[in-house]
Amino acid sequence: MTQAPALSAEARRFLEKTFPGDAAVTSPEEMFVYGTDASRRHAMPTAVVRPDSVEQVRELLAFAEANRLPILPRGRATNTVGDCIPVTGGIVVSTARLNRILEIDPDDFVAVVEPGVVTGDLQAALARERLFYAPDPASVKFSTIGGNASTCAGGMRAVKYGVTRDHILGIEAVLPGGELVRFGGRTHKNVVGLDLTRLFVGSEGTLGLMTRLTVKLLPLPAATATLALAFADVDTALTAAGDVFRAGILPAALEFLGREAMVAVAGISEVPWPAEAGAVLLIRVDGSPAAVAADLRLLETATRPAGPVWSRPAATREDEEALWELRRLLNPASFKAAPDKISDDVTVPRGRLREAAAGIAAVAGELRLKILFFGHIGDGNLHVNIMHDAADPDERDRAQTARERILGLCLALRGTLSGEHGVGLSKLPFIDRQLSPLERDLMARVKAAFDPHGIMNPHKAY
Ligand SMILES: Cc1cc2nc3c(=O)[nH]c(=O)nc-3n(C[C@H](O)[C@H](O)[C@H](O)COP(=O)(O)OP(=O)(O)OC[C@H]3O[C@@H](n4cnc5c(N)ncnc54)[C@H](O)[C@@H]3O)c2cc1C
């Protein structure tokens, strides 16, 4: 266990007074848990608090600013890039108790929520009123709205509905020093002044601590259907995906699994596709029942020329869910494929996907590594998992080389290092390959305007 930086007597007294009872976590064993996230890195926090009011957050950020104590906002720690790791120690602020749905307004089509609300819980509450919050990261059942906003989470439906940034209308946040700010509002349009709401979204906890979010709602689509298709190889599957758009269909989700990803899922679950297939597409459409039925037929026609080796339409909730659950199993399945993995979520322009996939396969072959790739290909977003055993120095080096080459390949295709997971710690060493010195300097100056002493989630993101 790494040693946490010591807390001064004054800071200890402040935390005990402001966070009485179990609102402060004090035992080293419990604090240890708050030192990690889904990146599987770890550093020991100096202290952990679980506020349940905005006032507590304000007092904390005033004290932290005066005493230059790092603040690490934390939702459910499902980010994969090390965003929640207290690399310099500091106070982890869990939003687990800021988890109330404050308002659902079916006339304004907005909901107002605290940041610790689990996104899937909000979606379930909205569905009961035939309302819909569109962003749906695969972690929807266990990640929070605050975490999703802070990482600008994407997900399966982004291809049709956009990413989290497109659905956050207003933000209330506490800045270092304790000032409470409110950006945006509850209108679906707003162009007055610089868009500080959108700036906060995707800022990876580096500007302030969000305490309330106003999100945009849509009517719940009355029907959905899914078409699952298997192809002989990756290139044919990606050609078929392009045919979907060319046929004039905008799917609600368009997911892709490469061969290694299919094998990994088959290792932990029954799968319906033939064992010899080389790639799978899952395509969902939504809308009125008549439109969905028509789109499903159109999908079958549009993808036929590519020659699927297997197909399964699913129009009932149970049948669809069985297919989408296989997609959600990818993350746990990948952990069975090798002791360690390097995960990236590179994104390329949609038209360059086939080149990206061919390049990744070539890297895997040349470096003799298993690379699981799958993703939200409707957005050109590929999740690349370089499987290896880090205990073997040669394999670890080859995995690092593979990562360098894949990131370089995607940038060369005019892509981005991250489509949805963010930079955190894990992509920071590569950020200069994408951002110019001027861009980085401007970002540092923007941060300084909100956080002059750099206490918010230091050494992360940009
Ligand atoms: C199985 C699995 C599947 C996933 N699928 C997807 C996917 O499909 N799409 C996708 O985009 N991501 C995905 N992720 C990544 C992850 O779920 C997202 O990044 C998610 O948005 C993180 O939410 P969280 O509540 O866990 O936030 P955390 O991981 O706790 O925090 C993430 C960031 O948000 C900041 N933060 C949290 N709350 C606040 C607040 N109130 N104010 C200011 N900053 C705050 C933190 O400081 C940190 O920088 C997946 C992860 C896993 C493990």
Side-chain angles (χ1 to χ4, degrees), residues 10 56 76 91 143 150 234 239 255 271 283 305 321 331 363 372 380 384 410:
E10 188 204 357
Q56 281 174 310
R76 293 291 177 108
I91 304 177
S143 64
S150 207
V234 167
T239 303
E255 295 289 311
V271 294
I283 314 171
E321 193 45 33
N331 190 277
V363 169
L372 257 72
V384 180
C410 292

Side-chain angles (χ1 to χ4, degrees), residues 37-38 72-80 83-84 93 95 115-116 136-140 142-156 200 203-206 208-211 213 327-328 331-332 345 376 381 383 419-421 456-457 460:
D37 60 22
L72 293 109
R74 180 182 175 95
R76 293 291 177 108
T78 69
N79 80 84
T80 59
D83 260 335
C84 289
V93 186
T95 60
D136 68 333
S139 56
V140 67
F142 45 86
S143 64
T144 64
I145 294 282
N148 291 177
S150 207
T151 55
C152 188
M156 327 251 191
F200 242 72
S203 62
E204 297 182 56
T206 61
L209 199 141
M210 291 180 277
T211 46
L213 297 103
R327 167 64 183 84
R328 285 190 285 267
N331 190 277
D345 66 316
H376 316 303
N381 188 181
H383 291 289
E420 56 181 21
H421 288 171
M456 291 304 304
N457 208 7
K460 309 279 171 59

Side-chain angles (χ1 to χ4, degrees), residues 162-221:
V163 294
T164 299
R165 182 171 281 122
D166 303 313
H167 300 269
I168 305 290
L169 301 174
I171 286 175
E172 175 191 276
V174 180
L175 300 184
E179 197 173 356
L180 189 70
V181 290
R182 293 194 179 93
F183 306 133
R186 55 195 286 138
T187 55
H188 287 211
K189 286 172 153 181
N190 182 353
V191 289
V192 176
L194 292 180
D195 195 339
L196 299 178
T197 312
R198 288 174 81 90
L199 176 68
F200 242 72
V201 178
S203 62
E204 297 182 56
T206 61
L207 301 180
L209 199 141
M210 291 180 277
T211 46
R212 204 172 264 213
L213 297 103
T214 303
V215 304
K216 174 177 170 175
L217 306 181
L218 300 170
L220 184 71

